[in-house]
Amino acid sequence: MKTEDNSEPFNPLTSKIVHHLEFEFDRSAGLIFITGGHGIISYRVASRLLNAGYPTIRVGAFHADELSDLNKLGAEVADFSWGKDETYEKALKGVKTVFCVPSYHKDWDEDFELFLKACQEAGVEHMVKMSFLHAHRPDDKLDMLGIRHFVKKTLLHAKMHDRELEQVPLVASHGKCDEKLMHSGSGIAYTIIGASHLMSNPILSLTKGQQASEAPLKLYGASAGKAVNYVSPNDVAEVAARTLLAPRNHVDKIYELTGPVAIKEAEVAKYLEKFMNKAVVYVDEPIEVFEEEEVQSGVPSWLLQDKVSLEKIKALGHEGDASFRTSDVEKVCYHKPETYLDYLTNVDAMSPQERALLA
């Protein structure tokens, strides 16, 4: 099983990776609306579209004044808040194309259905929706990952049977929303982008409270020492931007995005330590301990199910298998996916949220 070589020299000043969009955009996309402009993916997509010179971008945000940098680049910033459907009509007025990253909160799938209905009423013609890797696949559900066959051979740390695998809430909810977009007669052309675990996730799990302390930063998980496939948000955003700028090439397609290799969580901690110039350690806990500590820290039940389920999936070890990786980043972007080190060194591409946590 291949993992990243953490001995690679680290120099954020000379190792910057930037991929440019080297094609003329298609104006048929019309006015593009991007949900959640503060988000890890949405911020990157908006920045790429604006830097490519696309003339009509509207970005939705709960606090519109916080996106002044995108506004200066030419984006219109609209008040938009998931769960407040009174903001949908104005945000979608005149919009032809939507890039949608569903907000992650309790019952978010219900909010997506209301938003999809609002898109239909507004006359939206194309939606590019972020999803979870393979979530759209029908009732093999997590057999979609080839997990059942793999589990029978390697069930050591993660004792999950088929029924548990099929009930990962995050995956199931994305699958339901994908189906609503693709097959419910919405009349909206779709592009689904299913991504593996984002490389930004470990950074976002660190808190300012941890960083203020002199003690080492700690990443907690229950991956049982297995390698995890992380995909760079830069690659995800580039696939989305290329899809939005040349919609005729990507309509009614599903892309499955993975990173180039799997990497163990302890290696992720070492990369973060080099980048942040502060001790970072990964604490690998038994799944029962991980779950109990999440409960004690006040994690709500809906989020707890997702966090525990995803750790169980990581612990299966299937993400380290070569067959898990896809080639869709190369097919759409014409370059190999970024490694974890590439992601960390590409500071200019990061969202304000990431930069604040790494400062």
Side-chain angles (χ1 to χ4, degrees):
M1 179 172 60
K2 185 179 179 183
T3 59
E4 292 197 42
D5 179 5
N6 62 14
S7 65
E8 187 176 346
F10 180 85
N11 189 335
L13 298 179
T14 62
S15 302
K16 191 179 297 182
I17 306 294
V18 179
H19 300 118
H20 298 285
L21 299 173
E22 298 174 352
F23 61 90
E24 187 173 349
F25 50 74
D26 181 353
R27 291 178 183 271
S28 68
L31 175 58
I32 298 176
F33 177 64
I34 299 173
T35 68
H38 298 96
I40 301 298
I41 303 298
S42 292
Y43 182 87
R44 282 173 165 83
V45 171
S47 298
R48 285 176 177 272
L49 295 179
L50 292 165
N51 287 324
Y54 195 82
T56 50
I57 304 294
R58 180 182 295 159
V59 182
F62 183 61
H63 297 292
D65 56 326
E66 295 178 5
L67 291 177
S68 58
D69 54 340
L70 295 181
N71 184 247
K72 288 177 182 177
L73 288 173
E76 175 191 353
V77 182
D79 289 327
F80 176 82
S81 180
W82 287 100
K84 295 186 177 181
D85 48 333
E86 65 271 15
T87 66
Y88 297 171
E89 182 179 357
K90 186 175 181 180
L92 292 169
K93 186 176 181 180
V95 169
K96 192 172 181 180
T97 303
V98 169
F99 176 65
C100 177
V101 181
S103 180
Y104 188 46
H105 57 265
K106 186 179 181 181
D107 300 326
W108 63 267
D109 52 331
E110 296 177 8
D111 288 338
F112 174 81
E113 291 187 37
L114 290 174
F115 179 69
L116 179 59
K117 183 179 179 182
C119 288
Q120 292 174 276
E121 294 172 351
V124 170
E125 297 181 14
H126 180 208
M127 178 182 290
V128 179
K129 177 189 172 294
M130 283 302 307
S131 185
F132 194 81
L133 184 68
H134 303 304
H136 65 278
R137 295 194 182 180
D139 245 349
D140 282 322
K141 297 228 165 128
L142 288 180
D143 199 20
M144 54 199 177
L145 299 175
I147 289 178
R148 285 198 183 103
H149 174 67
F150 193 88
V151 168
K152 289 175 182 176
K153 297 189 298 180
T154 63
L155 187 54
L156 298 174
H157 298 280
K159 298 179 180 178
M160 294 180 68
H161 52 70
D162 288 353
R163 189 169 185 177
E164 289 175 301
L165 287 170
E166 292 170 357
Q167 294 175 349
V168 180
L170 177 66
V171 178
S173 293
H174 269 300
K176 183 174 75 171
C177 293
D178 294 351
E179 290 295 315
K180 285 284 184 181
L181 174 59
M182 293 188 293
H183 302 307
S184 65
S186 68
I188 300 175
Y190 67 85
T191 308
I192 305 291
I193 300 177
S196 185
H197 314 279
L198 294 178
M199 291 179 181
S200 51
N201 289 352
I203 293 173
L204 298 181
S205 72
L206 299 173
T207 66
K208 281 294 185 182
Q210 278 195 72
Q211 290 170 289
S213 170
E214 293 298 320
L217 299 173
K218 292 184 178 180
L219 297 173
Y220 293 93
S223 57
K226 299 297 192 299
V228 178
N229 189 285
Y230 283 104
V231 63
S232 170
N234 298 323
D235 289 330
V236 176
E238 184 174 351
V239 169
R242 287 179 177 272
T243 298
L244 292 163
L245 293 177
R248 291 173 182 152
N249 299 332
H250 304 284
V251 162
D252 295 347
K253 291 185 179 179
I254 298 169
Y255 294 118
E256 300 173 346
L257 309 184
T258 62
V261 292
I263 178 172
K264 293 183 179 182
E265 305 277 29
E267 294 177 73
V268 170
K270 289 180 181 178
Y271 276 129
L272 290 176
E273 184 173 86
K274 290 181 181 180
F275 186 81
M276 302 177 74
N277 198 28
K278 184 179 176 73
V280 181
V281 296
Y282 173 66
V283 181
D284 200 347
E285 303 176 319
I287 191 63
E288 297 82 5
V289 175
F290 176 83
E291 182 171 5
E292 180 59 28
E293 290 188 352
E294 292 295 310
V295 171
Q296 293 300 321
S297 66
V299 172
S301 59
W302 68 269
L303 178 56
L304 179 69
Q305 292 180 63
D306 281 338
K307 296 186 74 169
V308 171
S309 297
L310 289 173
E311 290 303 311
K312 288 180 177 179
I313 287 178
K314 291 177 183 179
L316 292 172
H318 67 283
E319 296 184 18
D321 192 75
S323 64
F324 184 85
R325 299 194 294 274
T326 70
S327 59
D328 282 354
V329 171
E330 291 97 324
K331 289 178 182 176
V332 177
C333 303
Y334 309 105
H335 63 75
K336 292 181 179 180
E338 288 188 342
T339 66
Y340 212 100
L341 183 58
D342 292 335
Y343 159 68
L344 287 175
T345 56
N346 198 354
V347 180
D348 289 347
M350 289 185 177
S351 67
Q353 186 180 4
E354 290 159 283
R355 289 197 292 264
L357 287 168
L358 290 170

